[in-house]
Amino acid sequence: MSKQLIVIGGGAAGFFCAVNAARMDRSLKVTIIEKSNKLLTKVKVSGGGRCNVTHACFDIAEMSKRYPRGQHFVKKTFHQFFTTDTINWFEERGVKLKTEDDGRMFPVTDFSQTIIECLLKEANKYGVEVLMSKEVKNLSMVDGQWLIKFSDSRLQTSDYVCIACGGYPKSSMFDWLKELGHTIEEPVPSLFTFNLPKHPIIKLMGVSVEKTKIKIQNSKLEEEGPLLITHWGLSGPAVLRLSAWGAREIKTKNYELKININWLPDYNEETLRKKIQELRNTNASQKIINKNSFGLPSRLWEFFTEQSGIKNEWRWADLPSTEQNKLIKNLCSYECEVRGKTTFKEEFVTAGGIKLNEVDANTMMSKKVTNLFFAGEVLDVDGITGGFNFQHAWTSGFVAAKSILKNK
Ligand SMILES: Cc1cc2nc3c(=O)[nH]c(=O)nc-3n(C[C@H](O)[C@H](O)[C@H](O)COP(=O)(O)OP(=O)(O)OC[C@H]3O[C@@H](n4cnc5c(N)ncnc54)[C@H](O)[C@@H]3O)c2cc1C
Protein backbone atom coordinates (compact mmCIF):
# COMPACT_ATOMS: atom_id res chain seq x y z
CA MET A 1 0.00 0.00 0.00
CA SER A 2 1.44 3.39 -0.92
CA LYS A 3 1.70 5.97 1.84
CA GLN A 4 -0.27 9.18 1.77
CA LEU A 5 0.56 12.81 2.60
CA ILE A 6 -2.16 15.39 3.04
CA VAL A 7 -1.09 19.03 2.87
CA ILE A 8 -3.56 21.48 4.38
CA GLY A 9 -3.44 24.80 2.51
CA GLY A 10 -2.91 25.61 -1.16
CA GLY A 11 -0.54 28.53 -0.65
CA ALA A 12 3.19 28.91 -1.30
CA ALA A 13 4.31 26.69 1.60
CA GLY A 14 1.71 23.98 0.96
CA PHE A 15 2.50 23.77 -2.75
CA PHE A 16 6.24 23.71 -2.17
CA CYS A 17 5.92 20.88 0.33
CA ALA A 18 3.53 18.91 -1.90
CA VAL A 19 5.40 19.18 -5.20
CA ASN A 20 8.78 18.40 -3.66
CA ALA A 21 7.49 15.42 -1.67
CA ALA A 22 5.74 14.01 -4.75
CA ARG A 23 8.85 14.50 -6.89
CA MET A 24 11.26 12.98 -4.37
CA ASP A 25 9.10 9.89 -3.85
CA ARG A 26 6.88 8.92 -6.75
CA SER A 27 5.18 6.24 -4.66
CA LEU A 28 3.85 8.77 -2.14
CA LYS A 29 0.26 9.84 -2.78
CA VAL A 30 0.13 13.60 -2.18
CA THR A 31 -3.05 15.68 -1.83
CA ILE A 32 -3.42 19.41 -1.23
CA ILE A 33 -6.61 20.47 0.55
CA GLU A 34 -7.62 24.11 0.07
CA LYS A 35 -10.63 25.67 1.77
CA SER A 36 -11.24 28.42 -0.77
CA ASN A 37 -11.97 28.03 -4.46
CA LYS A 38 -8.62 29.55 -5.44
CA LEU A 39 -5.01 28.43 -5.24
CA LEU A 40 -1.88 30.44 -4.44
CA THR A 41 -3.90 33.63 -3.96
CA LYS A 42 -1.20 35.48 -2.04
CA VAL A 43 1.43 34.55 -4.61
CA LYS A 44 -0.85 36.10 -7.21
CA VAL A 45 -1.21 39.48 -5.47
CA SER A 46 2.22 39.59 -3.88
CA GLY A 47 4.75 42.27 -4.67
CA GLY A 48 2.12 44.31 -6.51
CA GLY A 49 1.33 41.37 -8.83
CA ARG A 50 5.01 40.69 -9.54
CA CYS A 51 5.75 38.27 -6.65
CA ASN A 52 8.82 39.12 -4.65
CA VAL A 53 9.99 35.48 -4.55
CA THR A 54 13.07 35.89 -2.35
CA HIS A 55 15.88 38.27 -1.42
CA ALA A 56 19.39 38.41 -2.87
CA CYS A 57 21.08 37.68 0.45
CA PHE A 58 23.49 34.79 0.43
CA ASP A 59 24.63 34.71 4.02
CA ILE A 60 22.45 32.78 6.46
CA ALA A 61 23.39 34.82 9.54
CA GLU A 62 22.72 38.08 7.67
CA MET A 63 19.44 36.79 6.20
CA SER A 64 18.12 35.61 9.56
CA LYS A 65 18.42 39.17 10.92
CA ARG A 66 15.45 40.11 8.70
CA TYR A 67 13.02 38.03 10.78
CA PRO A 68 11.59 39.84 13.82
CA ARG A 69 10.16 36.49 14.92
CA GLY A 70 11.82 33.19 14.20
CA GLN A 71 15.39 34.42 13.71
CA HIS A 72 17.01 31.38 15.37
CA PHE A 73 14.56 28.98 13.78
CA VAL A 74 15.24 30.10 10.18
CA LYS A 75 18.98 30.03 10.83
CA LYS A 76 18.59 26.25 11.15
CA THR A 77 16.10 25.70 8.32
CA PHE A 78 18.11 27.81 5.84
CA HIS A 79 20.99 25.33 6.15
CA GLN A 80 18.79 22.87 4.28
CA PHE A 81 17.22 25.14 1.68
CA PHE A 82 18.41 28.72 1.19
CA THR A 83 17.96 31.62 -1.22
CA THR A 84 20.40 30.08 -3.73
CA ASP A 85 18.32 26.89 -3.68
CA THR A 86 15.15 28.89 -4.38
CA ILE A 87 16.82 30.66 -7.31
CA ASN A 88 18.10 27.34 -8.72
CA TRP A 89 14.82 25.51 -8.10
CA PHE A 90 12.84 27.99 -10.15
CA GLU A 91 15.55 28.36 -12.80
CA GLU A 92 15.71 24.57 -13.30
CA ARG A 93 12.01 24.80 -14.11
CA GLY A 94 12.45 27.62 -16.60
CA VAL A 95 11.70 30.57 -14.28
CA LYS A 96 14.58 33.00 -14.13
CA LEU A 97 14.68 35.51 -11.29
CA LYS A 98 16.19 39.01 -11.38
CA THR A 99 17.44 41.24 -8.58
CA GLU A 100 16.38 44.84 -8.02
CA ASP A 101 18.67 47.49 -6.49
CA ASP A 102 17.25 46.93 -3.00
CA GLY A 103 17.88 43.16 -3.17
CA ARG A 104 14.30 42.04 -3.87
CA MET A 105 14.08 39.23 -6.42
CA PHE A 106 11.25 38.85 -8.93
CA PRO A 107 10.63 36.61 -11.96
CA VAL A 108 12.10 38.29 -15.05
CA THR A 109 8.57 38.35 -16.44
CA ASP A 110 7.56 40.74 -13.59
CA PHE A 111 4.41 38.64 -13.38
CA SER A 112 3.39 36.51 -10.40
CA GLN A 113 1.43 34.19 -12.68
CA THR A 114 4.80 32.80 -13.88
CA ILE A 115 5.44 31.44 -10.37
CA ILE A 116 1.88 30.10 -10.09
CA GLU A 117 2.10 28.31 -13.42
CA CYS A 118 5.45 26.81 -12.51
CA LEU A 119 4.05 25.38 -9.24
CA LEU A 120 0.85 24.12 -10.91
CA LYS A 121 2.84 22.48 -13.70
CA GLU A 122 5.08 20.77 -11.16
CA ALA A 123 2.04 19.53 -9.22
CA ASN A 124 0.56 18.15 -12.41
CA LYS A 125 3.82 16.53 -13.48
CA TYR A 126 4.14 14.57 -10.24
CA GLY A 127 0.47 13.72 -9.86
CA VAL A 128 -0.33 15.90 -6.84
CA GLU A 129 -4.07 15.82 -6.27
CA VAL A 130 -5.60 19.22 -5.47
CA LEU A 131 -8.96 19.47 -3.74
CA MET A 132 -10.54 22.91 -3.42
CA SER A 133 -13.49 24.31 -1.46
CA LYS A 134 -12.72 21.80 1.29
CA GLU A 135 -11.99 23.06 4.77
CA VAL A 136 -10.26 20.93 7.38
CA LYS A 137 -12.10 21.20 10.69
CA ASN A 138 -9.99 18.92 12.85
CA LEU A 139 -7.39 16.19 12.98
CA SER A 140 -6.97 13.22 15.24
CA MET A 141 -4.63 10.24 15.41
CA VAL A 142 -6.49 6.92 15.24
CA ASP A 143 -4.54 3.62 15.20
CA GLY A 144 -1.36 5.31 13.99
CA GLN A 145 -3.12 7.13 11.13
CA TRP A 146 -4.37 10.67 10.82
CA LEU A 147 -8.12 11.06 10.62
CA ILE A 148 -9.03 14.32 8.94
CA LYS A 149 -12.48 15.80 9.33
CA PHE A 150 -13.81 18.31 6.83
CA SER A 151 -16.41 21.03 7.34
CA ASP A 152 -18.95 18.93 5.38
CA SER A 153 -18.35 16.19 8.02
CA ARG A 154 -16.60 13.89 5.57
CA LEU A 155 -13.55 12.00 6.82
CA GLN A 156 -10.27 10.98 5.27
CA THR A 157 -7.23 9.15 6.58
CA SER A 158 -3.57 9.86 5.89
CA ASP A 159 -0.14 8.70 7.06
CA TYR A 160 1.37 12.17 7.15
CA VAL A 161 -0.12 15.63 7.46
CA CYS A 162 1.60 18.92 6.72
CA ILE A 163 -0.23 21.98 8.01
CA ALA A 164 0.42 24.97 5.73
CA CYS A 165 -2.76 26.93 6.42
CA GLY A 166 -1.05 30.34 6.67
CA GLY A 167 -1.53 32.91 9.42
CA TYR A 168 -4.91 33.60 11.01
CA PRO A 169 -5.82 37.06 12.31
CA LYS A 170 -7.67 35.75 15.39
CA SER A 171 -6.45 33.40 18.08
CA SER A 172 -9.74 31.44 18.07
CA MET A 173 -9.12 30.43 14.44
CA PHE A 174 -6.19 28.34 15.68
CA ASP A 175 -8.46 26.26 17.98
CA TRP A 176 -8.28 23.17 15.76
CA LEU A 177 -4.47 23.28 16.07
CA LYS A 178 -4.58 23.87 19.82
CA GLU A 179 -6.61 20.66 20.10
CA LEU A 180 -3.52 18.84 18.84
CA GLY A 181 -1.65 20.00 21.93
CA HIS A 182 0.10 22.97 20.31
CA THR A 183 0.43 26.42 21.83
CA ILE A 184 -0.26 29.56 19.82
CA GLU A 185 1.60 32.83 20.06
CA GLU A 186 -1.18 35.43 19.92
CA PRO A 187 -1.56 36.70 16.33
CA VAL A 188 -0.95 40.42 15.75
CA PRO A 189 -0.58 42.37 12.51
CA SER A 190 2.90 43.13 11.23
CA LEU A 191 3.96 45.40 8.35
CA PHE A 192 1.63 48.35 8.66
CA THR A 193 1.92 52.09 8.12
CA PHE A 194 1.32 54.88 10.65
CA ASN A 195 -1.78 57.09 10.59
CA LEU A 196 -1.36 60.77 11.46
CA PRO A 197 -4.92 62.04 11.15
CA LYS A 198 -5.18 65.78 10.41
CA HIS A 199 -1.43 66.25 10.92
CA PRO A 200 -0.05 69.21 8.91
CA ILE A 201 2.71 67.06 7.38
CA ILE A 202 0.25 64.97 5.35
CA LYS A 203 -0.29 67.90 3.01
CA LEU A 204 3.16 66.87 1.70
CA MET A 205 1.80 63.51 0.50
CA GLY A 206 4.02 61.92 -2.12
CA VAL A 207 7.23 63.38 -0.66
CA SER A 208 9.85 60.75 0.15
CA VAL A 209 13.20 61.01 1.91
CA GLU A 210 15.89 58.44 1.18
CA LYS A 211 17.48 58.36 4.63
CA THR A 212 15.67 59.03 7.91
CA LYS A 213 15.73 57.67 11.44
CA ILE A 214 12.48 57.07 13.31
CA LYS A 215 12.35 56.45 17.04
CA ILE A 216 9.34 55.47 19.14
CA GLN A 217 9.27 57.40 22.42
CA ASN A 218 9.58 55.39 25.66
CA SER A 219 10.79 52.36 23.73
CA LYS A 220 14.01 50.95 22.31
CA LEU A 221 12.44 50.72 18.86
CA GLU A 222 14.14 52.73 16.13
CA GLU A 223 14.80 52.23 12.43
CA GLU A 224 16.75 53.97 9.72
CA GLY A 225 15.72 54.04 6.08
CA PRO A 226 13.53 55.64 3.42
CA LEU A 227 10.30 57.30 4.54
CA LEU A 228 7.28 58.22 2.46
CA ILE A 229 4.62 60.77 3.40
CA THR A 230 1.17 59.57 2.34
CA HIS A 231 -2.27 61.17 2.41
CA TRP A 232 -3.00 59.33 5.69
CA GLY A 233 0.41 59.45 7.41
CA LEU A 234 3.79 57.80 7.10
CA SER A 235 4.91 54.78 5.11
CA GLY A 236 8.06 53.50 3.41
CA PRO A 237 10.66 50.90 4.45
CA ALA A 238 11.66 52.61 7.74
CA VAL A 239 8.04 52.64 8.98
CA LEU A 240 7.29 49.10 7.79
CA ARG A 241 10.40 47.71 9.44
CA LEU A 242 9.55 49.55 12.65
CA SER A 243 6.04 48.08 12.55
CA ALA A 244 7.44 44.58 12.06
CA TRP A 245 9.99 44.74 14.86
CA GLY A 246 7.52 46.48 17.14
CA ALA A 247 4.40 44.49 16.14
CA ARG A 248 3.68 43.28 19.68
CA GLU A 249 4.84 46.36 21.58
CA ILE A 250 2.92 48.74 19.32
CA LYS A 251 -0.23 46.63 19.71
CA THR A 252 0.02 46.97 23.52
CA LYS A 253 0.06 50.75 22.99
CA ASN A 254 -3.11 50.36 20.95
CA TYR A 255 -1.38 51.93 17.92
CA GLU A 256 -1.13 55.30 19.70
CA LEU A 257 2.46 56.45 19.89
CA LYS A 258 4.71 59.43 19.89
CA ILE A 259 7.58 59.19 17.43
CA ASN A 260 10.58 61.37 16.64
CA ILE A 261 11.94 61.58 13.12
CA ASN A 262 15.47 62.62 12.31
CA TRP A 263 15.28 63.77 8.66
CA LEU A 264 19.06 64.16 8.58
CA PRO A 265 20.36 61.09 10.45
CA ASP A 266 23.96 61.95 9.63
CA TYR A 267 23.54 64.82 12.13
CA ASN A 268 22.48 65.13 15.74
CA GLU A 269 21.34 68.41 17.27
CA GLU A 270 24.88 69.37 18.23
CA THR A 271 26.52 68.67 14.86
CA LEU A 272 23.60 70.27 13.01
CA ARG A 273 24.03 73.43 15.09
CA LYS A 274 27.66 73.62 13.94
CA LYS A 275 26.62 73.05 10.32
CA ILE A 276 23.99 75.80 10.55
CA GLN A 277 26.55 78.15 12.04
CA GLU A 278 28.72 77.44 9.00
CA LEU A 279 25.78 78.17 6.68
CA ARG A 280 25.15 81.46 8.43
CA ASN A 281 28.71 82.47 7.62
CA THR A 282 29.00 81.12 4.10
CA ASN A 283 25.45 81.91 2.92
CA ALA A 284 24.82 85.02 5.00
CA SER A 285 23.09 86.99 2.23
CA GLN A 286 21.03 84.10 0.82
CA LYS A 287 17.39 83.51 1.67
CA ILE A 288 16.97 80.54 4.01
CA ILE A 289 13.96 79.23 2.11
CA ASN A 290 15.95 79.05 -1.13
CA LYS A 291 19.14 77.63 0.28
CA ASN A 292 18.36 74.07 1.28
CA SER A 293 21.88 72.74 1.74
CA PHE A 294 20.81 69.35 3.07
CA GLY A 295 19.39 67.81 -0.08
CA LEU A 296 15.91 67.49 1.42
CA PRO A 297 12.94 67.65 -0.97
CA SER A 298 12.18 71.36 -1.39
CA ARG A 299 8.55 71.01 -0.21
CA LEU A 300 9.80 69.45 3.02
CA TRP A 301 12.44 72.14 3.52
CA GLU A 302 9.82 74.86 3.03
CA PHE A 303 7.52 73.04 5.47
CA PHE A 304 10.19 72.95 8.17
CA THR A 305 11.16 76.60 7.73
CA GLU A 306 7.47 77.53 8.02
CA GLN A 307 6.96 75.23 11.06
CA SER A 308 10.01 76.84 12.68
CA GLY A 309 8.55 80.33 12.25
CA ILE A 310 11.12 81.37 9.63
CA LYS A 311 9.81 84.08 7.30
CA ASN A 312 10.22 83.63 3.54
CA GLU A 313 12.31 86.80 3.16
CA TRP A 314 14.76 86.01 5.99
CA ARG A 315 18.38 85.51 5.07
CA TRP A 316 20.78 83.17 6.90
CA ALA A 317 22.43 86.14 8.61
CA ASP A 318 19.00 87.20 10.01
CA LEU A 319 18.14 83.84 11.61
CA PRO A 320 17.33 84.50 15.29
CA SER A 321 18.36 81.87 17.81
CA THR A 322 14.76 80.88 18.76
CA GLU A 323 13.86 80.03 15.18
CA GLN A 324 17.25 78.40 14.63
CA ASN A 325 16.64 76.13 17.64
CA LYS A 326 13.18 75.25 16.33
CA LEU A 327 14.63 74.39 12.92
CA ILE A 328 17.29 72.16 14.48
CA LYS A 329 14.65 70.39 16.57
CA ASN A 330 12.33 69.91 13.60
CA LEU A 331 15.09 68.50 11.41
CA CYS A 332 16.68 66.22 14.01
CA SER A 333 13.81 65.23 16.24
CA TYR A 334 10.47 66.03 14.65
CA GLU A 335 7.70 64.81 16.96
CA CYS A 336 4.52 63.27 15.53
CA GLU A 337 1.61 61.56 17.22
CA VAL A 338 0.60 58.29 15.57
CA ARG A 339 -3.11 57.52 15.88
CA GLY A 340 -3.88 54.14 14.37
CA LYS A 341 -2.41 52.01 11.62
CA THR A 342 -3.14 51.09 8.02
CA THR A 343 -2.32 47.63 6.77
CA PHE A 344 0.33 47.62 4.10
CA LYS A 345 -1.45 46.29 1.03
CA GLU A 346 1.67 45.15 -0.78
CA GLU A 347 2.90 42.56 1.68
CA PHE A 348 0.82 42.00 4.77
CA VAL A 349 1.72 39.28 7.29
CA THR A 350 0.53 38.14 10.68
CA ALA A 351 3.03 37.75 13.48
CA GLY A 352 2.25 34.85 15.79
CA GLY A 353 1.22 31.25 15.21
CA ILE A 354 2.51 27.85 16.30
CA LYS A 355 5.11 28.28 19.04
CA LEU A 356 8.53 27.46 17.63
CA ASN A 357 9.85 25.45 20.58
CA GLU A 358 7.15 22.87 19.77
CA VAL A 359 8.49 22.22 16.24
CA ASP A 360 11.81 20.63 15.26
CA ALA A 361 13.52 23.11 12.91
CA ASN A 362 15.60 20.31 11.36
CA THR A 363 12.54 18.38 10.21
CA MET A 364 9.54 20.75 10.61
CA MET A 365 7.90 17.92 12.55
CA SER A 366 5.77 18.61 15.61
CA LYS A 367 7.50 17.76 18.86
CA LYS A 368 4.06 17.02 20.32
CA VAL A 369 2.64 14.56 17.79
CA THR A 370 4.37 12.25 15.37
CA ASN A 371 3.95 12.51 11.57
CA LEU A 372 2.58 16.03 11.83
CA PHE A 373 4.53 18.71 9.98
CA PHE A 374 4.23 22.48 9.64
CA ALA A 375 5.25 24.91 6.89
CA GLY A 376 4.90 28.63 6.21
CA GLU A 377 3.18 31.45 7.97
CA VAL A 378 1.22 29.19 10.37
CA LEU A 379 4.46 29.13 12.39
CA ASP A 380 5.48 32.04 14.59
CA VAL A 381 7.96 33.23 11.94
CA ASP A 382 7.66 36.46 10.00
CA GLY A 383 10.06 38.63 8.09
CA ILE A 384 10.24 42.29 7.14
CA THR A 385 9.31 43.22 3.56
CA GLY A 386 11.57 42.17 0.73
CA GLY A 387 10.85 38.50 -0.08
CA PHE A 388 11.70 37.09 3.35
CA ASN A 389 8.24 35.67 4.03
CA PHE A 390 8.18 33.69 0.79
CA GLN A 391 11.70 32.42 1.43
CA HIS A 392 10.50 31.02 4.75
CA ALA A 393 7.51 29.44 2.96
CA TRP A 394 9.74 27.73 0.35
CA THR A 395 12.32 26.63 2.93
CA SER A 396 9.89 25.21 5.47
CA GLY A 397 7.85 23.49 2.74
CA PHE A 398 10.98 21.89 1.33
CA VAL A 399 12.35 20.77 4.71
CA ALA A 400 8.97 19.25 5.63
CA ALA A 401 8.86 17.34 2.30
CA LYS A 402 12.38 16.00 2.77
CA SER A 403 11.80 14.82 6.30
CA ILE A 404 8.45 13.20 5.50
CA LEU A 405 10.31 10.99 3.06
CA LYS A 406 13.03 10.24 5.62
CA ASN A 407 10.31 9.25 8.08
CA LYS A 408 8.77 6.71 5.73
C1 LIG B 1 -1.04 41.28 -0.40
C2 LIG B 1 0.17 40.49 0.06
C3 LIG B 1 1.36 40.61 -0.64
C4 LIG B 1 2.49 39.89 -0.23
N1 LIG B 1 3.67 40.05 -0.92
C5 LIG B 1 4.76 39.36 -0.52
C6 LIG B 1 5.97 39.42 -1.26
O1 LIG B 1 6.03 40.05 -2.33
N2 LIG B 1 7.06 38.74 -0.78
C7 LIG B 1 7.00 37.99 0.37
O2 LIG B 1 8.00 37.38 0.76
N3 LIG B 1 5.86 37.88 1.07
C8 LIG B 1 4.75 38.52 0.63
N4 LIG B 1 3.59 38.40 1.34
C9 LIG B 1 3.53 37.46 2.47
C10 LIG B 1 3.40 36.04 1.86
O3 LIG B 1 2.43 36.08 0.86
C11 LIG B 1 3.01 35.03 2.92
O4 LIG B 1 3.95 35.04 3.97
C12 LIG B 1 2.98 33.63 2.29
O5 LIG B 1 2.08 33.61 1.21
C13 LIG B 1 2.56 32.59 3.30
O6 LIG B 1 2.37 31.38 2.62
P1 LIG B 1 1.60 30.19 3.30
O7 LIG B 1 1.52 29.12 2.26
O8 LIG B 1 2.20 29.89 4.61
O9 LIG B 1 0.14 30.75 3.61
P2 LIG B 1 -1.01 31.26 2.64
O10 LIG B 1 -0.46 31.79 1.38
O11 LIG B 1 -1.85 32.14 3.48
O12 LIG B 1 -1.81 29.93 2.27
C14 LIG B 1 -2.56 29.23 3.22
C15 LIG B 1 -3.75 28.58 2.53
O13 LIG B 1 -4.38 27.70 3.44
C16 LIG B 1 -5.77 27.78 3.27
N5 LIG B 1 -6.39 27.31 4.51
C17 LIG B 1 -6.42 27.93 5.72
N6 LIG B 1 -7.06 27.17 6.63
C18 LIG B 1 -7.46 26.04 5.98
C19 LIG B 1 -8.18 24.90 6.40
N7 LIG B 1 -8.61 24.76 7.66
N8 LIG B 1 -8.44 23.94 5.48
C20 LIG B 1 -8.02 24.07 4.20
N9 LIG B 1 -7.32 25.14 3.76
C21 LIG B 1 -7.04 26.13 4.64
C22 LIG B 1 -6.00 29.24 2.96
O14 LIG B 1 -7.23 29.44 2.29
C23 LIG B 1 -4.79 29.58 2.10
O15 LIG B 1 -5.05 29.42 0.73
C24 LIG B 1 2.42 39.07 0.91
C25 LIG B 1 1.21 38.94 1.60
C26 LIG B 1 0.09 39.62 1.18
C27 LIG B 1 -1.21 39.45 1.92
Side-chain angles (χ1 to χ4, degrees), residues 188-247:
V188 295
S190 183
L191 300 178
F192 47 85
T193 66
F194 293 164
N195 295 353
L196 307 178
K198 300 199 176 112
H199 195 282
I201 203 162
I202 61 180
K203 69 179 182 211
L204 302 183
M205 64 180 170
V207 166
S208 64
V209 180
E210 216 27 60
K211 201 170 159 195
T212 64
K213 190 177 196 170
I214 314 178
K215 216 177 155 341
I216 295 182
Q217 286 184 13
N218 304 319
S219 143
K220 288 192 177 129
L221 292 165
E222 63 175 42
E223 270 297 323
E224 235 182 82
L227 189 142
L228 170 72
I229 301 169
T230 65
H231 65 274
W232 67 88
L234 301 173
S235 180
V239 174
L240 292 168
R241 285 203 290 264
L242 203 54
S243 78
W245 287 103

Side-chain angles (χ1 to χ4, degrees), residues 159-283:
D159 301 286
Y160 310 98
V161 168
C162 176
I163 298 178
C165 60
Y168 292 132
K170 283 193 205 137
S171 192
S172 59
M173 295 171 83
F174 286 96
D175 284 351
W176 64 288
L177 299 177
K178 288 186 206 153
E179 283 165 16
L180 293 165
H182 276 282
T183 322
I184 304 299
E185 285 291 354
E186 159 94 3
V188 295
S190 183
L191 300 178
F192 47 85
T193 66
F194 293 164
N195 295 353
L196 307 178
K198 300 199 176 112
H199 195 282
I201 203 162
I202 61 180
K203 69 179 182 211
L204 302 183
M205 64 180 170
V207 166
S208 64
V209 180
E210 216 27 60
K211 201 170 159 195
T212 64
K213 190 177 196 170
I214 314 178
K215 216 177 155 341
I216 295 182
Q217 286 184 13
N218 304 319
S219 143
K220 288 192 177 129
L221 292 165
E222 63 175 42
E223 270 297 323
E224 235 182 82
L227 189 142
L228 170 72
I229 301 169
T230 65
H231 65 274
W232 67 88
L234 301 173
S235 180
V239 174
L240 292 168
R241 285 203 290 264
L242 203 54
S243 78
W245 287 103
R248 289 201 182 280
E249 195 178 323
I250 299 173
K251 161 124 185 156
T252 63
K253 296 177 193 282
N254 205 19
Y255 305 99
E256 303 209 338
L257 335 153
K258 279 195 179 150
I259 57 169
N260 292 93
I261 305 168
N262 185 342
W263 303 89
L264 301 171
D266 291 336
Y267 294 94
N268 57 33
E269 290 191 27
E270 200 186 317
T271 53
L272 187 62
R273 193 175 302 282
K274 281 195 189 128
K275 175 74 185 167
I276 286 184
Q277 194 52 50
E278 242 178 76
L279 289 173
R280 293 177 70 117
N281 298 333
T282 51
N283 297 313

Side-chain angles (χ1 to χ4, degrees), residues 50-110:
R50 296 197 297 146
C51 189
N52 178 194
V53 179
T54 185
H55 200 90
C57 177
F58 306 107
D59 180 84
I60 290 179
E62 207 35 58
M63 181 85 174
S64 68
K65 289 184 194 149
R66 273 45 175 252
Y67 294 82
R69 282 142 300 263
Q71 205 171 112
H72 297 298
F73 193 85
V74 296
K75 232 186 221 170
K76 291 186 192 150
T77 59
F78 286 160
H79 276 290
Q80 296 196 56
F81 194 88
F82 196 38
T83 47
T84 36
D85 301 303
T86 304
I87 298 165
N88 293 338
W89 195 94
F90 281 103
E91 188 152 349
E92 279 160 15
R93 287 153 185 86
V95 178
K96 217 174 148 34
L97 304 183
K98 59 166 181 179
T99 310
E100 305 221 318
D101 291 346
D102 57 4
R104 292 180 303 158
M105 298 195 75
F106 295 88
V108 288
T109 55
D110 272 332

